[in-house]
Amino acid sequence: MTTDAKAQTYWLEHAWLGTHVEPGVAVEVTGDRITAVRTGTETPPPGATALRGLTVPGLANAHSHAFHRALRGTVQVGSGTFWTWREVMYGVADRLTPETYHALARAVYAEMALAGITTVGEFHYLHHGPGGTPYADPNAMGEALIQAASDAGVRITLLDTAYVASGLLSETRGEPPNRHQLRFSDGTAQAWAERASSLKERPHARVGAAVHSVRAVPAAQLGVVAQWASERRAPLHVHLSEQTAENDACQAVHGCTPTQLLHDRGVLGARTTGVHNTHLTEEDIGLLGRTTAGTCMCPTTERDLADGIGPAVALQRAGSPLSLGSDSHAVIDILEEARAMELNERLRSHTRGHWTAAALLRAATADGHAALGWPDAGTIETGALADLTTITLDSVRTAGPVPRLGAETAVFAATAADVRHVVAGGRVVVRDGAHALVPDVPSALTEAIAVLRD
């Protein structure tokens, strides 16, 4: 992903400026940055690229497992649990190579771009070859993802993930990885850190860390991952209390909740994001809030896997910033994730209006980017990265409301199919609903997934 340093102007018919919809906004861009925002511009200036509809900052997908996209449809057959779903997922993971992973991720990230996403947080734990044998380049799979993001025109934060055990046994020991998980494991957190340290950042790619879960990294090794991230001031993500079985196992071995264990081992902090945070105690919520650790909600996956509804309202009130992710990619639609977070809470509480449309858009943009280590993205203002996502206001879903209600229309009615234009880092990636770099995204997805079938 490269950007042209020349100056250009985008004219936004209607722009979401964080608090309100502003008509007629000219955004001047040099390279990948916004250099000026001029309101009161009723018509496109000479030479400007017109973006008609409602333009919001580029969306951030704060939690992705790219290879899970190959499961769409397949795992919706019949019934089951998270754990039966996981067995199907292992089957896909077993068949991936760096080449096939690149092809799949390129198509998946292109699908994200079509949905208005300009930055993805890839929670990456598929590191090695079959049986756990490292590739000649130990980071071949991670490099495939970084290249795929560039090829699809989006930025990436590669959250390289420590995953060394299949379950909890004691303070220092975990159950050995099963035959599928051998591809995920470096053996120890220290070996993980040594491998992850050789990953290099690029203009479109940042490198963060992740603890897969407290069941996948023994307690005595959690500090290694936390220290690695702290030394680099990098994002640190962790699957947290997604399943009650995780909580039960942690209580049995450590006598505390996963949140308490992470806190005691120095994992929680302002650059930390807990993903899901579904089954928390009041004390857990307080710990996350006091440490200002973030929460990434993934409602479409959480409902698809019957995980439950996390206490997002309480977490935000406690001080935990919210972001959104599409996780297993049952669908890729950050607008739907935002809408689902509010609507799930309505179903649970029997009341409406827990978040304004503005607050939900912030979770989908600025706070999502901050969680991924891009605090200079997610707003339309001078100095920010030039990321723009334009949503049509005249589709069958969005037609009717007045433009000043564009934020409400986008969050509560629009879908990814209503995204018309996307600019990422000053570069047009999607124009009139077509991807500029991947000409036929459906065919790319079909071909990449077909290779992975039994």
Side-chain angles (χ1 to χ4, degrees), residues 358-384:
L360 293 170
L361 279 176
R362 181 175 179 84
T365 56
D367 287 346
H369 279 99
L372 296 175
W374 300 90
D376 48 353
T379 60
I380 300 175
E381 59 185 31
T382 300

Side-chain angles (χ1 to χ4, degrees), residues 240-241 276-282 284-285 288 295 297 302 308-318 320 322 341 345 348 355:
L240 179 55
S241 289
H276 303 301
N277 291 1
T278 306
H279 304 284
L280 303 180
T281 66
E282 290 185 9
D284 292 339
I285 293 168
L288 291 163
T295 294
M297 303 297 291
E302 290 149 5
I309 300 171
V313 172
L315 283 160
Q316 188 167 59
R317 286 175 179 166
S320 179
L322 299 178
M341 188 165 69
E345 193 62 35
R348 180 167 64 175
W355 292 276

Side-chain angles (χ1 to χ4, degrees), residues 57-82:
L59 306 178
N61 187 350
H63 189 67
S64 163
H65 301 292
F67 76 92
H68 290 188
R69 175 61 177 82
L71 303 173
R72 188 183 296 178
T74 302
V75 291
Q76 277 73 42
V77 176
S79 60
T81 66
F82 169 88

